[in-house]
Amino acid sequence: MIGVMNSMQILRGWAARHAHWLAVAGLLGAPQAMAAGEYANSPDVGEFITEMTRDYGFASEQLTALFADVERKQPIIDAISRPAERVKPWSEYRPIFITDARINKGVAFWNEHAEALARAEKEYGVPAQIIVAIIGVETSYGGNTGNYRVIDALSTLAFDYPPRAPFFRKELREYLMLTREEQVDPASLKGSYAGAMGLPQFMPSSFRAYAVDFDGDGHINIWSDPTDAIGSVASYFKRHNWQPGQPVATPAKVKGEHVDQGLSAGLDPDKTVGELRALGWSSQDALADDLPVTAFRLDGAEGPEYWIGQPNFFVITRYNRSVMYAMAVNQLSELLVQARGANQ
């Protein structure tokens, strides 16, 4: 796992690994793979290498040597092809992510990185508890960042999973570009079976768009540098229009025959508070009638729960397109505040 490396080791690994590619190419005119992998002679990979060479300035001999070492991972194909599990109700989903252990680890993470979290909150306007909750839900504060080489995961899905090949081919391109920009060995980094990376589980395109060098060392390392991970999550939320000082979701009371007409069709805020009021929705919070919101119902442990998701709720769903994910992040963040306050 990349967490056992420090940034300098990664950078040295890149330099050491790629220096010999150029030397071999200079001496022999073409790379000589010691043991060709599954993609060594793939026409699709050859086409991809041509594209990366022609359009993005990569050296074909380096990419040829890299892909000769790439391994096709059948478990990844099996996992992504598996029929979707039954969608868990909120009463089963919530206990997966909101546990005493995760709250305690979150408070410890917050205390350890309080300075970076406070700085991120000041610079980006994103509350520390939201940043900590995201990292907690995604990887349990770095405890589960994935064990697949990112190059293997993305290549497997780009070249051997036709239903989503265009998406993963784009992510593979983004990955190679980010490793070049960060001067990191593309064969060294690990992530999830879908290629999500580091403490916040950024896909390569998100890394290049939103990740930041928050500790100012000249490189972005979201694998083993919590400071960069914290700043990157905050950057992501700010770029997706997080509204500082505003709530995420409000519990609603409902009555009447038209309540369900207020439920949103998807994640987008497609109702206004005024429209919900006319359909029998109310809340204790003072919400402007013209505020666009997402209205939803969850199957809670004690029965149906009705909620009004405000603009910041929608921002969380940009990170993961799920109502229950956003609610888990929101409620974990609230419990982190309570637990940390009780311990101080």
Side-chain angles (χ1 to χ4, degrees):
M1 183 175 293
I2 198 65
V4 303
M5 300 181 179
N6 62 35
S7 299
M8 292 306 299
Q9 288 173 320
I10 296 172
L11 298 178
R12 294 189 189 105
W14 166 270
R17 190 179 186 98
H18 293 281
H20 83 277
W21 288 359
L22 293 174
V24 170
L27 290 173
L28 304 179
Q32 305 295 313
M34 293 294 291
E38 290 88 341
Y39 294 117
N41 300 307
S42 164
D44 288 341
V45 173
E47 178 185 323
F48 180 77
I49 291 173
T50 297
E51 173 192 339
M52 297 302 294
T53 301
R54 180 190 66 234
D55 298 341
Y56 301 99
F58 283 81
S60 61
E61 60 269 18
Q62 291 184 2
L63 292 182
T64 300
L66 173 65
F67 281 105
D69 183 53
V70 170
E71 298 179 7
R72 178 186 185 277
K73 296 293 185 181
Q74 184 60 39
I76 290 177
I77 300 295
D78 296 341
I80 204 167
S81 304
R82 190 174 298 129
E85 296 181 2
R86 174 182 67 90
V87 176
K88 292 180 172 62
W90 176 239
S91 59
E92 296 178 21
Y93 184 95
R94 184 182 188 276
I96 296 172
F97 297 102
I98 300 180
T99 64
D100 289 343
R102 202 176 298 256
I103 293 168
N104 291 337
K105 288 179 67 175
V107 170
F109 182 90
W110 191 341
N111 289 338
E112 183 178 357
H113 304 291
E115 182 178 351
L117 286 159
R119 182 160 59 91
E121 184 166 349
K122 181 178 180 181
E123 293 186 18
Y124 294 101
V126 182
Q129 62 266 27
I130 290 291
I131 300 171
V132 177
I134 286 286
I135 294 174
V137 169
E138 288 292 338
T139 61
S140 192
Y141 315 103
N144 182 22
T145 58
N147 293 314
Y148 287 102
R149 290 197 309 174
V150 176
I151 190 68
D152 291 339
L154 293 176
S155 296
T156 296
L157 294 170
F159 303 122
D160 279 298
Y161 186 64
R164 298 200 66 191
F167 170 80
F168 285 106
R169 181 165 171 154
K170 174 182 73 71
E171 292 296 335
L172 178 59
R173 180 178 71 241
E174 295 283 330
Y175 177 69
L176 291 176
M177 294 176 75
L178 84 82
T179 57
R180 180 173 66 180
E181 292 161 357
E182 294 301 316
Q183 300 180 14
V184 178
D185 181 352
S188 70
L189 302 180
K190 293 187 177 180
S192 75
Y193 78 87
M197 307 177 300
L199 276 74
Q201 291 291 276
F202 275 17
M203 291 298 289
S205 58
S206 291
F207 182 104
R208 294 191 70 228
Y210 309 114
V212 296
D213 172 21
F214 203 52
D215 63 2
D217 69 353
H219 298 280
I220 304 173
N221 174 9
I222 61 172
W223 290 265
S224 57
D225 186 341
T227 299
D228 280 0
I230 286 165
S232 296
V233 172
S235 167
Y236 185 101
F237 275 79
K238 179 178 174 63
R239 293 279 296 278
H240 285 80
N241 300 316
W242 181 269
Q243 299 183 10
Q246 297 301 308
V248 173
T250 302
K253 293 183 179 180
V254 297
K255 62 179 180 180
E257 299 177 355
H258 304 293
V259 168
D260 285 356
Q261 294 179 26
L263 295 172
S264 295
L267 298 174
D268 292 354
D270 60 356
K271 299 289 190 298
T272 65
V273 171
E275 289 172 339
L276 290 179
R277 285 201 178 102
L279 295 169
W281 292 60
S282 64
S283 74
Q284 293 181 343
D285 296 340
L287 304 176
D289 278 351
D290 60 352
L291 180 69
V293 295
T294 303
F296 55 96
R297 179 181 59 216
L298 297 174
D299 296 322
E302 299 181 2
E305 302 176 8
Y306 289 82
W307 291 87
I308 299 173
Q310 298 175 54
N312 282 341
F313 179 85
F314 179 70
V315 174
I316 298 177
T317 67
R318 301 304 85 193
Y319 206 97
N320 184 309
R321 297 185 61 82
S322 162
V323 163
M324 288 191 288
Y325 175 91
M327 282 298 290
V329 168
N330 181 45
Q331 293 192 2
L332 177 58
S333 75
E334 294 172 342
L335 292 169
L336 287 167
V337 172
Q338 295 174 17
R340 190 165 185 260
N343 293 333
Q344 291 182 338

